Amino acid sequence: MLSKNLKLLRTANDMTQEQVAEFLGIGRSAYSNYEDGRREPPIDVLEKFANIMGCDLATIYEENEEAVKSQLICAFRTDGMSKEDMEEIASFKRLVLSYLKMERLLND
């Protein structure tokens, strides 16, 4: 489920393995191993991955594919983006995710 969700979230955000790997500070082949299920990524890599995807860390381990898809807050075109651009997007997505969590708490 982890490897499947990594790929699902990456493709839903229209990102290449190379872009994600660069953002995570790892090689593309290492990231490919995570997506293929050959290796499990360390928690710090997963946290950074969740940031750029705009989801909770728990979403990466979610077994229900529809639940994963429902967590896609916002997606950006990634053509020609630098690592710095991706850092800014990750910050924005963290802000949006925090806002949505706060809204849910206030409405419950």
Side-chain angles (χ1 to χ4, degrees), residues 18-94:
E18 185 68 39
Q19 288 171 313
V20 173
E22 182 180 349
F23 175 77
L24 297 175
I26 61 175
R28 193 209 55 80
S29 62
Y31 179 77
S32 178
N33 285 332
Y34 301 153
E35 259 191 29
D36 291 340
R38 290 187 294 257
R39 296 188 65 202
E40 184 151 337
I43 192 71
D44 62 319
V45 169
L46 290 175
E47 288 172 339
K48 202 166 182 182
F49 179 86
N51 287 338
I52 192 62
M53 297 303 152
C55 67
D56 288 318
L57 187 58
T59 301
I60 298 171
Y61 288 98
E62 176 62 54
E63 293 184 17
N64 181 334
E65 186 175 326
E66 291 307 311
V68 175
K69 288 179 182 178
S70 74
Q71 292 296 309
L72 296 170
I73 311 173
C74 51
F76 291 85
R77 292 188 57 83
T78 57
D79 299 345
M81 280 195 188
S82 69
K83 186 175 179 185
E84 292 78 21
D85 294 334
M86 292 176 72
E87 292 284 350
E88 290 298 320
I89 289 171
S91 294
F92 174 74
K93 287 184 176 185
R94 279 192 305 273

